[in-house]
Amino acid sequence: EAQVTQNPRYLITVTGKKLTVTCSQNMNHEYMSWYRQDPGLGLRQIYYSMNVEVTDKGDVPEGYKVSRKEKRNFPLILESPSPNQTSLYFCASSPSFQNEQFFGPGTRLTVL
Amino acid sequence: KNEVEQSPQNLTAQEGEFITINCSYSVGISALHWLQQHPGGGIVSLFMLSSGKKKHGRLIATINIQEKHSSLHITASHPRDSAVYICAGDSNSGYALNFGKGTSLLVTP
């Protein structure tokens, strides 16, 4: 089944404890992206990747890192999480930027 | 940055009504996306369009590039259409997306 998977789906952590949210797609898509969704602010793009080893900042990249070493995986790294990174995170992929995106199920992160 | 505005923010309709959700953007784009998010959070892409009109079942999306405006129409609305509808525009000069804040639609029986 064609899908985008994210892990974990739910995570409660404490300030400063490094964490990684994984994202994987099995559709051989070139474009992948991370978004966060907050009440009143809607969806905002964190980072995106046009292809392996090609990444760029979105609207709200501060406090996040990404890497794209393989086409299928695009992990989101929070080196030192803070409470303002409490949010619902979505990963998405598409064959290229000029295509409809497939979204993962979301990861609800709480930073205490 | 492309400012994307949606209206209305909230919409309640009775089953069977024709529904229109509007999206306008400030900077020229090459494509606009319409997304649907049901309660429970999953996001599904409905349309991506660069010009004209697209139709899928009871959903129709139109875009006027010159006026920087797009609309999403739902014909013969049904309670299962209750969801948040989000539009997003890219820009001519980059590969990022800017999102509207969403329109929350409730269709009552």
Side-chain angles (χ1 to χ4, degrees):
Chain A
E1 181 193 350
Q3 59 183 346
V4 179
T5 56
Q6 294 180 226
N7 282 294
R9 295 287 314 280
Y10 303 90
L11 179 60
I12 300 174
T13 189
V14 295
T15 299
K17 187 177 180 184
K18 181 179 178 178
L19 67 92
T20 299
V21 184
T22 65
C23 172
S24 183
Q25 49 91 6
N26 61 0
M27 296 169 278
N28 202 36
H29 285 170
E30 292 191 347
Y31 184 87
M32 296 186 75
S33 185
W34 275 104
Y35 305 97
R36 62 178 286 174
Q37 186 177 38
D38 302 288
L41 296 175
L43 281 161
R44 292 178 293 170
Q45 193 164 28
I46 303 171
Y47 270 97
Y48 61 91
S49 170
M50 298 296 291
N51 211 329
V52 175
E53 303 291 3
V54 181
T55 63
D56 207 349
K57 297 176 182 178
D59 264 346
V60 288
E62 297 78 19
Y64 305 94
K65 283 175 59 176
V66 292
S67 69
R68 187 95 180 271
K69 293 184 171 57
E70 307 165 278
K71 202 171 194 178
R72 63 183 296 127
N73 295 323
F74 190 43
L76 180 70
I77 303 156
L78 285 73
E79 294 266 2
S80 182
S82 61
N84 64 12
Q85 293 177 298
T86 293
S87 188
L88 179 58
Y89 291 87
F90 289 98
C91 178
S93 74
S94 59
S96 71
F97 179 64
Q98 297 294 341
N99 290 102
E100 292 185 47
Q101 295 191 19
F102 292 78
F103 285 79
T107 294
R108 188 167 292 281
L109 172 66
T110 301
V111 183
L112 301 174
Chain B
K1 183 185 147 110
N2 202 353
E3 302 293 337
V4 180
E5 300 283 340
Q6 283 185 242
S7 64
Q9 271 190 304
N10 298 286
L11 183 54
T12 300
Q14 279 205 304
E15 184 172 358
E17 284 185 9
F18 181 85
I19 289 162
T20 296
I21 299 169
N22 296 300
C23 177
S24 61
Y25 46 92
S26 59
V27 177
I29 61 170
S30 60
L32 185 125
H33 299 251
W34 281 102
L35 310 173
Q36 180 191 57
Q37 186 173 26
H38 274 110
I43 298 175
V44 173
S45 175
L46 297 174
F47 297 103
M48 191 191 80
L49 63 166
S50 305
S51 64
K53 178 174 160 176
K54 284 190 176 179
K55 184 174 191 283
H56 184 242
R58 294 179 295 105
L59 272 58
I60 303 165
T62 64
I63 190 166
N64 185 318
I65 294 288
Q66 287 75 26
E67 293 187 6
K68 298 188 177 66
H69 182 267
S70 176
S71 294
L72 177 68
H73 306 286
I74 305 174
T75 63
S77 59
H78 189 276
R80 65 175 174 266
D81 297 326
S82 298
V84 175
Y85 293 84
I86 303 165
C87 67
D90 65 2
S91 72
N92 282 328
S93 59
Y95 300 100
L97 283 182
N98 298 119
F99 295 84
K101 290 188 169 53
T103 294
S104 180
L105 171 65
L106 176 64
V107 182
T108 58

